[in-house]
DNA sequence: ACTAGCCCCTGTCCGC
DNA sequence: TGCGGACAGGGGCTAG
């Protein structure tokens, strides 16, 4: 479920429970997900207090009081689930109902939260494309998973000038360039399709063709930068998109899927006023692209 | 240095 | 009802 808006939604859901909580125990239920877990992963987390829950692109970062950081990626099907005991802790006792693990529950963090409740946060991932790694906080930006990432679309720096410079001389299709995490970090298949529709740009055109000369960025780069930022902010405000899986850590759904203009709308009418076109589905580098050939040029 | 293609894995849906 | 194939929000690796 994971593009930037979904990961940000998960981060916001986990934050109230994780920040300030002590990780009393970690159940690591298999040796690997996409990658092997780090050596002694569970032991290295136990008795640590969580100081912050962050996000970089589509990665969650769980910061611990000893300077370690858990880097977690949700892959295609990863999700987190919060299970609280609902009871205040009685000192010296450890009790909450132990429910049976669900299928594909791979990691369970047993917590004592800052507000004094026992509970768990559970990582579930049927396809196991997700992963968890460990880094040192002071070296976080240099970690191999994060060091090559491009600009955050939620920051202030993504404007027409920067986007022009990122796309200039790129001959790859515009859609492929926007999916390249080294340029802009956090966009995925849904929001690239949606941003291109909002900007009225074809996913097929060569990326460099909207850059313009270095001294005068093309207005189309400006419009695309705006479209990217707006669609990401709109999606975050909607709690992300829930397609096949729940997004939120509390089990509730995002609702941005109701605002899709093109994604998953093959054969349906283009929603742009006066367009009259039909949304098409094509395949680019193995993934579906949804767009309107009539108004996206 | 680029790009396309394949792969990892499970679940679901659709057509026969 | 069963079975095979296509497809799914990602990204790392390889071969051109």
């Amino acid at each position: 479920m994971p593009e930037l808006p979904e990961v940000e939604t998960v981060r916001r859901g986990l934050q109230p429970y994780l920040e300030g909580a002590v990780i009393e125990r970690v159940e690591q239920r298999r040796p690997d997900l996409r990658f092997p877990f780090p050596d002694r992963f569970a032991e290295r987390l136990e008795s640590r207090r969580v100081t912050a829950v962050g996000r970089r692109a589509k990665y969650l970062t769980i910061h611990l009081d000893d300077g370690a950081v858990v880097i977690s990626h949700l892959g295609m099907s990863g999700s987190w689930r919060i299970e609280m005991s609902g009871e205040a802790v009685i000192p010296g006792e450890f009790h909450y109902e132990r429910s049976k693990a669900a299928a594909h529950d791979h990691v369970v963090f047993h917590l004592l939260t800052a507000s004094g409740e026992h509970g768990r946060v559970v990582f579930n991932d049927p396809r196991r494309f997700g992963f968890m790694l460990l880094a040192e906080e002071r070296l976080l930006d240099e970690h191999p998973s994060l060091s090559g990432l491009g600009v955050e679309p939620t920051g202030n720096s993504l404007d027409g000038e920067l986007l022009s410079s990122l796309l200039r001389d790129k001959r790859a299709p515009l859609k492929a360039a926007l999916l390249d995490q080294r340029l802009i970090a956090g966009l995925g298949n849904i929001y690239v399709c949606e941003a291109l529709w909002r900007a009225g740009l074809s996913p097929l055109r060569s990326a460099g063709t909207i850059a313009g000369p270095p001294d005068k960025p093309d207005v189309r780069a400006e419009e695309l930068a705006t479209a990217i930022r707006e669609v990401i902010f709109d999606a975050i405000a909607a709690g992300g998109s829930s397609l096949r899986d729940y997004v939120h850590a509390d089990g509730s759904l995002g609702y941005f899927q109701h605002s899709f203009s093109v994604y998953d709308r093959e054969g349906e009418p283009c929603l742009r006023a006066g367009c009259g076109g039909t949304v098409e589905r094509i395949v680019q580098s193995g993934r579906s692209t949804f767009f309107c050939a009539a108004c996206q040029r």
Side-chain angles (χ1 to χ4, degrees):
Chain A
M1 45 171 174
E3 299 184 37
L4 189 158
E6 289 75 34
V7 178
E8 177 61 20
T9 299
V10 170
R11 188 195 71 76
R12 293 178 184 185
L14 290 175
Q15 188 172 38
Y17 298 93
L18 276 179
E19 276 190 8
V22 172
I23 301 171
E24 297 190 308
R25 191 161 58 87
V26 174
E27 289 178 56
Q28 178 195 317
R29 302 167 53 86
R30 52 175 298 131
D32 56 26
L33 293 171
R34 170 157 193 177
F35 305 124
F37 282 92
D39 288 341
R40 300 176 48 252
F41 176 76
E43 298 95 290
R44 289 165 69 178
L45 269 52
E46 282 167 9
S47 303
R48 301 272 57 82
R49 183 181 297 272
V50 176
T51 56
V53 183
R55 178 191 60 74
R56 173 76 170 102
K58 303 174 191 176
Y59 296 82
L60 279 174
T61 55
I62 300 170
H63 301 246
L64 307 179
D65 63 357
D66 64 349
V69 181
V70 179
I71 300 173
S72 167
H73 197 291
L74 302 175
M76 290 280 268
S77 58
S79 63
W80 289 85
R81 189 173 78 244
I82 296 165
E83 298 179 355
M84 299 305 297
S85 68
E87 298 170 20
V89 172
I90 299 170
E93 287 191 39
F94 184 80
H95 65 98
Y96 57 87
E97 287 183 37
R98 186 177 172 74
S99 63
K100 209 172 162 186
H104 309 302
D105 282 353
H106 303 309
V107 183
V108 183
F109 289 6
H110 294 261
L111 302 176
L112 175 57
T113 70
S115 61
E117 279 185 286
H118 275 306
R120 304 177 270 193
V121 294
V122 182
F123 181 72
N124 182 286
D125 186 3
R127 294 177 75 178
R128 303 202 302 277
F129 289 171
F131 54 84
M132 282 186 211
L133 300 172
L134 279 169
E136 291 299 316
E137 176 142 40
R138 62 193 173 82
L139 299 173
L140 188 57
D141 291 341
E142 284 96 82
H143 188 277
S145 290
L146 306 183
S147 62
L149 292 172
V151 62
E152 284 278 327
T154 50
N156 292 322
S157 57
L158 181 63
D159 57 13
E161 187 177 344
L162 177 59
L163 188 56
S164 282
S165 69
L166 292 173
L167 300 181
R168 188 167 298 125
D169 301 327
K170 289 264 182 310
R171 261 161 291 185
L174 185 52
K175 188 206 181 192
L178 297 184
L179 283 174
D180 187 341
Q181 302 297 299
R182 297 168 300 180
L183 303 179
I184 303 171
L187 301 182
N189 209 32
I190 292 176
Y191 299 109
V192 165
C193 291
E194 293 296 312
L196 286 169
W197 181 84
R198 289 188 183 206
L201 291 169
S202 169
L204 295 164
R205 72 157 57 235
S206 181
T209 60
I210 66 160
D215 54 329
K216 189 177 179 302
D218 192 309
V219 65
R220 290 173 294 186
E222 190 73 53
E223 289 166 354
L224 181 55
T226 299
I228 290 168
R229 291 168 51 83
E230 287 183 352
V231 76
I232 291 297
F233 279 114
D234 289 351
I236 291 173
S241 304
S242 295
L243 273 61
R244 284 154 276 278
D245 306 303
Y246 290 114
V247 167
H248 300 194
D250 67 2
S252 61
L253 294 171
Y255 52 88
F256 192 76
Q257 65 277 13
H258 304 302
S259 300
F260 289 166
S261 297
V262 284
Y263 187 84
D264 212 15
R265 293 194 63 244
E266 182 183 14
E268 296 178 42
C270 176
L271 296 175
R272 197 184 312 278
C275 173
T278 300
V279 176
E280 298 176 30
R281 174 183 171 275
I282 60 173
V283 175
Q284 289 180 286
S285 48
R287 316 195 93 94
S288 291
T289 298
F290 298 89
F291 77 116
C292 173
C295 64
Q296 290 182 248
R297 314 307 295 232

